[in-house]
Amino acid sequence: MDFFVNWVSVVPQFAVPFALATLGLIICERSGVLNLGAEGFMLVGAMIGAGATLVTGSPHLSLVLAALSAGTLSLLFGFLVITLRVNQVISGLTMVFFAQGFTTLVSTKMNWTNKAFEGIGKIDFGPLADIPLVGRLLFDQDIVVYITILIFIVVAFAFERTEQGLRIRAVGENPEAADAAGVSVVMNRYFAVFIGCMLVGLAGAYMSVVVSKIWVDGMSGGRGWIAIALVIFARWRFWPALAGAALFGCVEALIPRIAAVGLQVPQYFVLMLPYVATLTVMVWASLGKNSSGAPGALGKPFVREERN
Amino acid sequence: MPPTSVVGQLDPAVKNTAGFVLELRNIVKTFGTFTALDDVNFNLKRGEVHALLGENGAGKSTLMNIVCGLYAADSGERLHEGEPVWISNPREAHALGIGMVHQHYKLVKPFSALENIQLENGSGPYRTSLNRIRQKATEISKIIGFEVDLDLPVEQLSISEQQRVEILKILTADARIIILDEPTAVLTDMEAENMFTAMRSLAATGCSVVFVTHKLREAFSFADRITVMRGGKTINTVLPNQLDVTELTTLIVGETVVESVNRSKNIGDPKITLNEISMKRNNGVNAITDLSFQVRSGEIYGIAGIGGNGQNELVAILSGLRKIDTGSIELNDVGRVENATPIELRDLGIVCIHSDRETYGLAYGLNIAENFSISGVLAGEFGSYIKVKHKLIHEATELAIEAYDVRGVRTLNQKAGLLSGGNAQKLVIAREFSREPSIVVAHSPCRGLDVRASSAVHEYLLKARDRGGAVVLISEDLDEILLMSDRIGVMSGGAIVAEFDAPANRNEIGKSMTGHG
Amino acid sequence: MVESTVKNQRNLFQRFNLEVRDHMLAWQQAVLIFGGLLLGLFLSALMLVVAGVGVSDLLNEFIISIFTSSRNINAVLLLSAPLVIVGLSAAIGFKARFWNIGIEGQVIFGAIGATLIANYDIGPDGFRVLLMGLVAALFGMAWIALPMVLRLKLQVNEIISTLLLNYIAFNFLLHLLFGSWKDPITSFPNSKIYDQFERLPKLAGLDFNVSILLALALVIIFVWVLAVSRFGFVLKFVYSNSKMAKSIGINVGVLVACAALASGALSGIAGFTISASIDSRLTQSFFVGYGFLGILIGFLARNNPLLVVLFSVMMAILMVAGQTLQVFYQIPFSMIQLIQATIVICVAASEFFIHHRIRLVK
């Protein structure tokens, strides 16, 4: 029982990076932009988050700065795929490659690598955390966990219940129709990519600033890719994405615990677990309903004057 | 200023305006090396229904796309109520009260009708705006007699309902200049008439309506004035009672091409029999339900019907791309073939000319020689697995484009996508007929083609028939069916609901199209 | 026309209209791509100068010292060979619209296969290298088989599935290197060193490693398969319009499967090449960067095998020069990665002008 409580109570901090990254990617992709650069934007967020904490001393401000820097980099990505209509797969991969080089270079030059810092701690709810079973899960978390839930609510509301959400959805489903209705495809896609990548960057920053409290080269460790798979698993919807993130939080939280309980599984096979789980989840998603739920114009660049 | 309803109110000052609400002068538009519009002039009066008439490829849609801000003209002037204007995007057109219903509807399919209307018109707080628009759209639809469920996703609406959503969309945006691109292409005669009645009532309130069409009959029956376009130029603007049909045809085509009926004299034994075939779509709904028909050698079997009644699926089945769930397909000297693959069916002499040439007919990104020779390459006619003989391919392609009169070929290495619609279709036919097929399935083979290309395509179908082949001609164009067929089946709800021997009565066929399902 | 009479004014931005170009002459395309390349190199040079490398040193390290030292030329060729092979691997995948992002995983498995043969001394010594290469190809194919089947049978996106398998392959590699394949002599986490006859030899009398010839042979086979054979002819249709290909009777699934397996095999061979010509053993990080670089080279070369060679050599030069920079100028090697990404971005951006034109409208 203790094993279970201990396990579940750390799930949120493993789930938050997945949740934020997946949410960010859904925003991008619902506008029609396939973002394979997630891993790169996470790295940038994580590196800037750690660096800014070391420089400014304020981890909270650093989270914001990290999100903004990922957003800034996303403008380059947006310029490639939205304005220049470069292949979105290649552009995304290039962004990952670029970000890997960039983060390693900057952090080495600035001497930020492998330097531990204070980070953000958990909120003290006092006795509430002692409630049996769920006390620690609900009341022994850091502030970002709660903010994440809030962000989900805000984004879901904005998508379904506001003009801007309607426009982004329209641009992702049928840019020709949106364009004919006077909605700017380019501006809305830039907007979605910017906001989405900010969230992906925030996911990365959470990992360095809140969870590990240190920056290590390549520390996102494939979570960006898993988030891309989670988008497919969630069929581009918000709440299933949160559930998927929680699921993967469970899987990741399990890894250090497997050895602890004395299960004799080779270490590196345990480390494969998230990737195997992702693959399984993708297969499972493909077995489901007929329609994948993908936005109609996902991955397709738009130009108004294409002659048919 | 509160938004004024389009319908019912007429500004008294407007009546006195003698000028045009819209005037286009010397518009030029090129796509790459192709000149789509060459010094075009057009004008529109207040309160009129104006037909923009011309063949496919005459430049009508391009011109209207310039008016609604989707295309930018290379040069020329646009005057709105006598004043020069720029229209560089749809939003600006919208602000000038110009709304266009495109031939391929610009609707976001998973959105509800209301959301689609909101997308164009939304302003202010979302909920309030949505309610205001619902109210306005409902009001307008009552006045012009449209009934549409505003809350259903558009993809669940019928094609004519989708058109109504499009019209409501631009009317809710207070459009005073309403452009309809080929509005009747997917409507039954009855629906078309209702639509035009609604447009007429709009015109009576001071709106101006332009409809783009290639059908003479429509222009004569529903327009106040007709502007004729040909080859990217405006030829003339006339009143319907000024000219008779022949004169107008000459204006449109530049010469008279009259196709004459030519019934088969040599109908033989059954070639292919479809026996109560059924097929479900991916979503579990039947696309084809107990469909049966038989085609004999030396016969053209025309299948009439509104699009979306299972025609695409039928062609997919006959080309081996989809498998049926129940029933059988028999060739008279081969036996049952319902499980055959596309390549097996081709080897049995069944070829398909798909309506969507860009998707199924040609690889637009590849060159003419490759597109022509692919079926031969697969059959081993041009070299072995180890080496494809490009020289043989070029020779054969040269011969074929000569024989099938494919024009606009500068070099055989030119991309097929650069051919005009008619020439691309001739290339498809050249490939498909290169092995003298015994059964030809042609789905809207003349869609998007001009009159001369259409009649050439019809020639080839007749030749295939006269060689003793069986031809299945599926078309939404009733005129084409009546002209070509020796026997006519009417398709509705995924089945053949009636059959007629030629010559058949147009009205009765029309009735059976809608009477069922 | 006098603009002041116009009711709604246009801004300058609206005077430009973006159009899609139908085609462009080959030499014009080449000029544009080359321009993009130059821009990329210029930006890279700028970054290096900012990082503290003098302009004259730049010229020296990247051009003069590379081409004047036979040691450096050899190093470039040694690195180019696997890059060419992964470039071809990516290119054949692209040709079938199968995104093989899992090149690294297949490189790892290819090398594991080769090392398996070497470690357990399977087969006669004389044919050992050949057998290692073949097994590497098979292992590479095996590693792409799952994503290929999932894509063809269940429409599982191969971009993600191949990529995930990279991580699984990497962990499996660590499992071997920290476990049973640990070097028995040093106990370091790398496999025991290959015997002399298990390595790709240097050419008799010359200083070159034979690996570059292997790569060029694969280039020739690639050209034959795609430009001469029926497979290549038909594959063009799968690439250009798969629906049309199906309806004309092409078995699209089989073709895609073949191309994917070929891609996996090539990556496997690349893994073998790296460990048999560069490292002479299996190491923890021998594969790093080859996956992305392969894809980027395949993309830059627009799947043209000759351009694959060109861009591979260019990337190899960057990497060799980067090692010098690291030693003498304390520039982290990641700078090279940044430079490579920058070049790709610039060339990709230049393609925009091949497919579009911007025109002033009156």
mmCIF file of all heavy atoms in Angstrom, chain C residues 186-205:
data_model
loop_
_atom_site.group_PDB
_atom_site.id
_atom_site.type_symbol
_atom_site.label_atom_id
_atom_site.label_comp_id
_atom_site.label_asym_id
_atom_site.label_seq_id
_atom_site.Cartn_x
_atom_site.Cartn_y
_atom_site.Cartn_z
ATOM 1 N N THR C 186 39.712 -4.413 -20.539
ATOM 2 C CA THR C 186 39.718 -3.137 -19.822
ATOM 3 C C THR C 186 38.506 -2.946 -18.937
ATOM 4 O O THR C 186 38.471 -2.051 -18.110
ATOM 5 C CB THR C 186 39.740 -1.971 -20.810
ATOM 6 O OG1 THR C 186 38.546 -2.032 -21.587
ATOM 7 C CG2 THR C 186 40.938 -2.038 -21.727
ATOM 8 N N SER C 187 37.461 -3.747 -19.156
ATOM 9 C CA SER C 187 36.171 -3.582 -18.473
ATOM 10 C C SER C 187 35.483 -2.263 -18.804
ATOM 11 O O SER C 187 34.594 -1.820 -18.092
ATOM 12 C CB SER C 187 36.326 -3.681 -16.949
ATOM 13 O OG SER C 187 36.502 -5.025 -16.603
ATOM 14 N N PHE C 188 35.935 -1.611 -19.851
ATOM 15 C CA PHE C 188 35.213 -0.420 -20.298
ATOM 16 C C PHE C 188 33.933 -0.833 -21.017
ATOM 17 O O PHE C 188 33.876 -1.922 -21.591
ATOM 18 C CB PHE C 188 36.081 0.395 -21.268
ATOM 19 C CG PHE C 188 37.096 1.235 -20.570
ATOM 20 C CD1 PHE C 188 38.382 1.352 -21.077
ATOM 21 C CD2 PHE C 188 36.782 1.928 -19.410
ATOM 22 C CE1 PHE C 188 39.325 2.124 -20.443
ATOM 23 C CE2 PHE C 188 37.716 2.712 -18.771
ATOM 24 C CZ PHE C 188 38.989 2.811 -19.284
ATOM 25 N N PRO C 189 32.928 0.030 -20.983
ATOM 26 C CA PRO C 189 31.690 -0.338 -21.685
ATOM 27 C C PRO C 189 31.807 -0.168 -23.198
ATOM 28 O O PRO C 189 31.167 0.692 -23.791
ATOM 29 C CB PRO C 189 30.653 0.611 -21.080
ATOM 30 C CG PRO C 189 31.440 1.778 -20.626
ATOM 31 C CD PRO C 189 32.790 1.281 -20.241
ATOM 32 N N ASN C 190 32.686 -0.936 -23.806
ATOM 33 C CA ASN C 190 32.621 -1.078 -25.254
ATOM 34 C C ASN C 190 33.056 -2.487 -25.600
ATOM 35 O O ASN C 190 33.669 -3.170 -24.780
ATOM 36 C CB ASN C 190 33.453 -0.031 -25.979
ATOM 37 C CG ASN C 190 34.798 0.173 -25.337
ATOM 38 O OD1 ASN C 190 35.425 -0.787 -24.901
ATOM 39 N ND2 ASN C 190 35.240 1.401 -25.240
ATOM 40 N N SER C 191 32.688 -2.922 -26.802
ATOM 41 C CA SER C 191 32.967 -4.325 -27.112
ATOM 42 C C SER C 191 34.464 -4.504 -27.302
ATOM 43 O O SER C 191 35.209 -3.544 -27.494
ATOM 44 C CB SER C 191 32.233 -4.721 -28.390
ATOM 45 O OG SER C 191 32.915 -4.188 -29.507
ATOM 46 N N LYS C 192 34.917 -5.755 -27.239
ATOM 47 C CA LYS C 192 36.356 -5.981 -27.434
ATOM 48 C C LYS C 192 36.712 -5.608 -28.856
ATOM 49 O O LYS C 192 35.881 -5.676 -29.777
ATOM 50 C CB LYS C 192 36.708 -7.430 -27.106
ATOM 51 C CG LYS C 192 36.225 -8.438 -28.124
ATOM 52 C CD LYS C 192 36.757 -9.819 -27.770
ATOM 53 C CE LYS C 192 36.411 -10.782 -28.895
ATOM 54 N NZ LYS C 192 36.240 -12.157 -28.465
ATOM 55 N N ILE C 193 37.969 -5.222 -29.028
ATOM 56 C CA ILE C 193 38.362 -4.665 -30.315
ATOM 57 C C ILE C 193 38.326 -5.747 -31.396
ATOM 58 O O ILE C 193 38.568 -6.922 -31.114
ATOM 59 C CB ILE C 193 39.764 -4.022 -30.176
ATOM 60 C CG1 ILE C 193 40.037 -3.092 -31.354
ATOM 61 C CG2 ILE C 193 40.862 -5.076 -30.092
ATOM 62 C CD1 ILE C 193 40.817 -1.873 -30.931
ATOM 63 N N TYR C 194 37.913 -5.343 -32.629
ATOM 64 C CA TYR C 194 37.834 -6.307 -33.726
ATOM 65 C C TYR C 194 39.232 -6.777 -34.093
ATOM 66 O O TYR C 194 40.190 -6.010 -34.018
ATOM 67 C CB TYR C 194 37.218 -5.658 -34.987
ATOM 68 C CG TYR C 194 35.779 -5.235 -34.874
ATOM 69 C CD1 TYR C 194 35.215 -4.447 -35.880
ATOM 70 C CD2 TYR C 194 34.969 -5.625 -33.825
ATOM 71 C CE1 TYR C 194 33.910 -4.038 -35.820
ATOM 72 C CE2 TYR C 194 33.657 -5.219 -33.753
ATOM 73 C CZ TYR C 194 33.125 -4.416 -34.747
ATOM 74 O OH TYR C 194 31.831 -4.017 -34.690
ATOM 75 N N ASP C 195 39.306 -8.019 -34.536
ATOM 76 C CA ASP C 195 40.581 -8.482 -35.097
ATOM 77 C C ASP C 195 40.847 -7.727 -36.392
ATOM 78 O O ASP C 195 39.939 -7.162 -37.007
ATOM 79 C CB ASP C 195 40.511 -9.994 -35.396
ATOM 80 C CG ASP C 195 40.469 -10.783 -34.101
ATOM 81 O OD1 ASP C 195 41.130 -10.367 -33.126
ATOM 82 O OD2 ASP C 195 39.739 -11.808 -34.052
ATOM 83 N N GLN C 196 42.103 -7.780 -36.803
ATOM 84 C CA GLN C 196 42.479 -7.032 -38.000
ATOM 85 C C GLN C 196 41.614 -7.404 -39.200
ATOM 86 O O GLN C 196 41.150 -6.550 -39.947
ATOM 87 C CB GLN C 196 43.957 -7.296 -38.315
ATOM 88 C CG GLN C 196 44.582 -6.238 -39.214
ATOM 89 C CD GLN C 196 44.490 -4.849 -38.597
ATOM 90 O OE1 GLN C 196 44.793 -4.652 -37.433
ATOM 91 N NE2 GLN C 196 44.028 -3.886 -39.364
ATOM 92 N N PHE C 197 41.336 -8.700 -39.360
ATOM 93 C CA PHE C 197 40.560 -9.143 -40.534
ATOM 94 C C PHE C 197 39.067 -8.884 -40.357
ATOM 95 O O PHE C 197 38.278 -9.178 -41.228
ATOM 96 C CB PHE C 197 40.832 -10.622 -40.829
ATOM 97 C CG PHE C 197 40.558 -11.525 -39.657
ATOM 98 C CD1 PHE C 197 39.279 -11.971 -39.404
ATOM 99 C CD2 PHE C 197 41.592 -11.911 -38.804
ATOM 100 C CE1 PHE C 197 39.015 -12.787 -38.322
ATOM 101 C CE2 PHE C 197 41.332 -12.721 -37.722
ATOM 102 C CZ PHE C 197 40.051 -13.163 -37.468
ATOM 103 N N GLU C 198 38.690 -8.363 -39.221
ATOM 104 C CA GLU C 198 37.277 -8.009 -39.022
ATOM 105 C C GLU C 198 37.034 -6.534 -39.297
ATOM 106 O O GLU C 198 35.938 -6.040 -39.104
ATOM 107 C CB GLU C 198 36.856 -8.353 -37.589
ATOM 108 C CG GLU C 198 36.755 -9.844 -37.342
ATOM 109 C CD GLU C 198 36.713 -10.190 -35.848
ATOM 110 O OE1 GLU C 198 36.988 -9.306 -35.016
ATOM 111 O OE2 GLU C 198 36.399 -11.333 -35.540
ATOM 112 N N ARG C 199 38.070 -5.837 -39.730
ATOM 113 C CA ARG C 199 37.916 -4.415 -40.019
ATOM 114 C C ARG C 199 37.919 -4.201 -41.516
ATOM 115 O O ARG C 199 38.469 -5.003 -42.267
ATOM 116 C CB ARG C 199 39.079 -3.626 -39.427
ATOM 117 C CG ARG C 199 39.226 -3.850 -37.941
ATOM 118 C CD ARG C 199 40.404 -3.070 -37.429
ATOM 119 N NE ARG C 199 40.741 -3.529 -36.087
ATOM 120 C CZ ARG C 199 41.835 -3.163 -35.439
ATOM 121 N NH1 ARG C 199 42.689 -2.328 -36.008
ATOM 122 N NH2 ARG C 199 42.075 -3.618 -34.235
ATOM 123 N N LEU C 200 37.314 -3.084 -41.908
ATOM 124 C CA LEU C 200 37.406 -2.720 -43.320
ATOM 125 C C LEU C 200 38.844 -2.272 -43.562
ATOM 126 O O LEU C 200 39.355 -1.407 -42.847
ATOM 127 C CB LEU C 200 36.428 -1.593 -43.647
ATOM 128 C CG LEU C 200 34.976 -2.033 -43.788
ATOM 129 C CD1 LEU C 200 34.060 -0.828 -43.873
ATOM 130 C CD2 LEU C 200 34.790 -2.919 -45.006
ATOM 131 N N PRO C 201 39.501 -2.874 -44.565
ATOM 132 C CA PRO C 201 40.930 -2.614 -44.744
ATOM 133 C C PRO C 201 41.201 -1.285 -45.424
ATOM 134 O O PRO C 201 40.326 -0.690 -46.046
ATOM 135 C CB PRO C 201 41.361 -3.776 -45.650
ATOM 136 C CG PRO C 201 40.127 -4.095 -46.427
ATOM 137 C CD PRO C 201 38.965 -3.825 -45.547
ATOM 138 N N LYS C 202 42.426 -0.856 -45.309
ATOM 139 C CA LYS C 202 42.869 0.249 -46.142
ATOM 140 C C LYS C 202 43.185 -0.301 -47.507
ATOM 141 O O LYS C 202 43.555 -1.468 -47.647
ATOM 142 C CB LYS C 202 44.129 0.882 -45.537
ATOM 143 C CG LYS C 202 43.794 1.773 -44.373
ATOM 144 C CD LYS C 202 44.948 2.647 -43.992
ATOM 145 C CE LYS C 202 44.495 3.587 -42.889
ATOM 146 N NZ LYS C 202 45.609 4.109 -42.113
ATOM 147 N N LEU C 203 43.032 0.521 -48.500
ATOM 148 C CA LEU C 203 43.314 0.054 -49.851
ATOM 149 C C LEU C 203 44.787 -0.247 -49.983
ATOM 150 O O LEU C 203 45.626 0.525 -49.504
ATOM 151 C CB LEU C 203 42.927 1.134 -50.851
ATOM 152 C CG LEU C 203 41.483 1.111 -51.304
ATOM 153 C CD1 LEU C 203 41.241 2.222 -52.286
ATOM 154 C CD2 LEU C 203 41.141 -0.223 -51.910
ATOM 155 N N ALA C 204 45.078 -1.348 -50.661
ATOM 156 C CA ALA C 204 46.471 -1.744 -50.810
ATOM 157 C C ALA C 204 47.257 -0.613 -51.459
ATOM 158 O O ALA C 204 46.861 -0.079 -52.488
ATOM 159 C CB ALA C 204 46.554 -3.005 -51.674
ATOM 160 N N GLY C 205 48.354 -0.238 -50.841
ATOM 161 C CA GLY C 205 49.232 0.776 -51.423
ATOM 162 C C GLY C 205 48.772 2.202 -51.179
ATOM 163 O O GLY C 205 49.538 3.134 -51.299
#
